[in-house]
Amino acid sequence: MDVPGIALITGAASGIGRACAEGFAREGASGIALLDVNADALASVKAAIEQSHAASGRATCKIEIYPVDVSKEAQVDAAVDRIVATFGRLDYVVNAAGITIKHPGGAAFATTEDWNRVMEVNVNGTFFVLRAAARHMLKQEPILSSIHGRPLQRGSIVNFSSILGVIGITLSTAYTTAKHAIVGLTRTASEDYAKDGLRINAIGPGYTETPMVTQNPRVMEAMLERVETAVPMKRMGRPDEIADGVLYLAGGRSSFVTGSILMVDGGYTSR
Ligand SMILES: NC(=O)c1ccc[n+]([C@@H]2O[C@H](COP(=O)([O-])OP(=O)(O)OC[C@H]3O[C@@H](n4cnc5c(N)ncnc54)[C@H](O)[C@@H]3O)[C@@H](O)[C@H]2O)c1
């Protein structure tokens, strides 16, 4: 996927974020910075990637972990500064950290606390990381393609929307609103910097087998019903299938792509 250089991945301790971290290491990134609130799980992911990477005989990929709550502006700013100081530059951001909460009874009964938490992590968190990273990326020279040697972009940011960024489903007031907001953030920020060589895109995963889904019986139940009735491919996605879309958007294979929302959803939103 032509991803030389340094990647920052949030939500890297689990699910799709973890699959993205594995993908960047496998596809030739020279460094990856893994961010998550779950410090123990981050350490396990780092150890697992280092082990499989060493066994593969591929070129070194330096891995550092940063226990960070992306909804905390000061923590994000400090971590991004440290990452740039440690690695020397920052080429890719994957904004995968996210949470979901179902509201029994729908919008009329959604609590302010649940609404605020979903917005803080999914919208504010994405914005804080994008902003801190973009300020560094805009100052650096474009990275050169590992395939053609031609200059690619100064930086490439992939935000996480969802199928719920373009459609609505029941009992999902805050999450659906947040994922629609990510589409808006991606479009406006990509316009801001398209001419400056900073690309900003979003991925729209469909139902994907990760702990976000499998560890939440209410979400899992709703999802299985939807997979059977509304997903043309009649199955859930795997985290690495979503990561493939992220790697495409991040790297040199999408050098003329910005402001786009790539749906990776088994055909769900084509209906
Ligand atoms: N799984 C799906 O079906 C699906 C579908 C569409 C979109 N998504 C999106 O994909 C992204 C990844 O989700 P996943 O399914 O891998 O979920 P997951 O729960 O497996 O992983 C999410 C990770 O984010 C971390 N996180 C949560 N809050 C955080 C915070 N405040 N600061 C830093 N890290 C935090 C968690 O600790 C966890 O490691 C999310 O943005 C999610 O909304 C998932």
Side-chain angles (χ1 to χ4, degrees), residues 72-82 128 131-132 135-136:
K72 303 280 187 265
E73 184 177 359
Q75 286 186 29
V76 169
D77 287 346
V80 171
D81 285 349
R82 271 171 54 215
F128 293 151
R131 181 179 62 184
R135 285 177 181 172
H136 286 287

Side-chain angles (χ1 to χ4, degrees), residues 12-244:
S14 176
I16 300 168
R18 177 186 179 141
C20 291
E22 292 165 350
F24 273 99
R26 195 179 52 241
E27 299 274 343
S30 53
I32 50 178
L34 308 181
L35 278 64
D36 204 286
V37 271
N38 189 336
D40 292 343
L42 266 186
S44 304
V45 169
K46 171 179 154 82
I49 297 176
E50 281 174 343
Q51 199 179 14
S52 69
H53 200 76
S56 74
R58 284 188 288 265
T60 317
C61 177
K62 180 183 166 84
I63 304 174
E64 296 286 341
I65 56 174
Y66 300 84
V68 166
D69 181 341
V70 295
S71 70
K72 303 280 187 265
E73 184 177 359
Q75 286 186 29
V76 169
D77 287 346
V80 171
D81 285 349
R82 271 171 54 215
I83 289 163
V84 173
T86 302
F87 290 94
R89 59 184 284 136
L90 176 55
D91 296 292
Y92 317 100
V93 163
V94 177
N95 261 317
I99 58 169
T100 187
I101 298 176
K102 288 280 178 195
H103 314 287
F109 302 97
T111 68
T112 305
E113 190 187 0
D114 285 353
W115 169 271
N116 284 344
R117 191 60 196 148
V118 170
M119 292 300 156
E120 281 165 10
V121 176
N122 295 1
V123 181
N124 295 5
T126 299
F127 166 61
F128 293 151
V129 176
L130 178 154
R131 181 179 62 184
R135 285 177 181 172
H136 286 287
M137 288 170 163
L138 286 166
K139 288 188 283 194
Q140 65 192 10
E141 289 303 312
I143 195 161
L144 302 182
S145 165
S146 58
I147 296 171
H148 316 287
R150 66 185 163 91
L152 295 172
Q153 63 278 317
R154 274 179 221 284
S156 177
I157 297 176
V158 182
N159 296 326
F160 265 68
S161 183
S162 165
I163 48 176
L164 301 185
V166 295
I167 58 151
I169 61 163
T170 186
L171 310 185
S172 189
T173 314
Y175 187 80
T176 300
T177 306
K179 293 302 183 179
H180 275 68
I182 295 300
V183 171
L185 171 63
T186 300
R187 288 184 172 145
T188 184
S190 69
E191 274 277 328
D192 284 337
Y193 304 118
K195 64 185 181 319
D196 303 312
L198 180 53
R199 296 191 300 110
I200 304 176
N201 292 286
I203 189 114
Y207 298 127
T208 310
E209 250 178 272
T210 70
M212 174 181 274
V213 176
T214 55
Q215 286 177 5
N216 186 334
R218 195 178 274 152
V219 174
M220 187 69 183
E221 191 187 333
M223 224 172 246
L224 287 177
E225 192 272 322
R226 295 298 292 167
V227 166
E228 197 42 49
T229 57
V231 179
M233 289 180 80
K234 296 232 178 265
R235 67 172 179 88
M236 295 178 77
R238 296 191 316 269
D240 61 302
E241 292 180 298
I242 310 303
D244 284 344

